Amino acid sequence: NVYEATDVMCLEPYGGPLQDVQWSPFKPCILATVGSNGHLYLYDLLQENYITPVVDIDVCPGKPVYSVKFNSVLKEYIATGD
């Protein structure tokens, strides 16, 4: 059936839920996610192994992170919130 729903991609950097996802406003192949484990993950979909994060930072050890936002002016900055 051509109308059957299927996953295009599944990102599971760890065993818990991801809380937020945002695409980079500068590079459309980059996305950031944050999880309930306190980590920020960056993915580059142009990499051969694109389902593995290219960056994994424990931004809030032992506490969940609920939001992520790229800075719309300075591409070097990403904000996270718990």
Side-chain angles (χ1 to χ4, degrees):
N1 184 349
V2 295
Y3 299 109
E4 187 174 321
T6 59
D7 293 336
V8 174
M9 175 179 20
C10 185
L11 302 175
E12 295 179 301
Y14 76 108
L18 295 176
Q19 300 296 331
D20 195 12
V21 175
Q22 188 182 32
W23 292 97
S24 167
F26 302 101
K27 292 188 174 186
C29 60
I30 303 290
L31 67 110
T33 67
V34 289
S36 58
N37 65 345
H39 286 241
L40 163 70
Y41 302 100
L42 293 177
Y43 292 89
D44 182 349
L45 301 183
L46 294 180
Q47 296 292 315
E48 186 175 329
N49 189 10
Y50 61 86
I51 61 170
T52 300
V54 293
V55 173
D56 176 355
I57 302 172
D58 192 359
V59 294
C60 195
K63 296 172 69 177
V65 179
Y66 295 107
S67 60
V68 63
K69 178 89 173 153
F70 281 93
N71 186 303
S72 60
V73 178
L74 302 169
K75 62 183 174 183
E76 302 87 20
Y77 293 93
I78 299 174
T80 61
D82 62 351

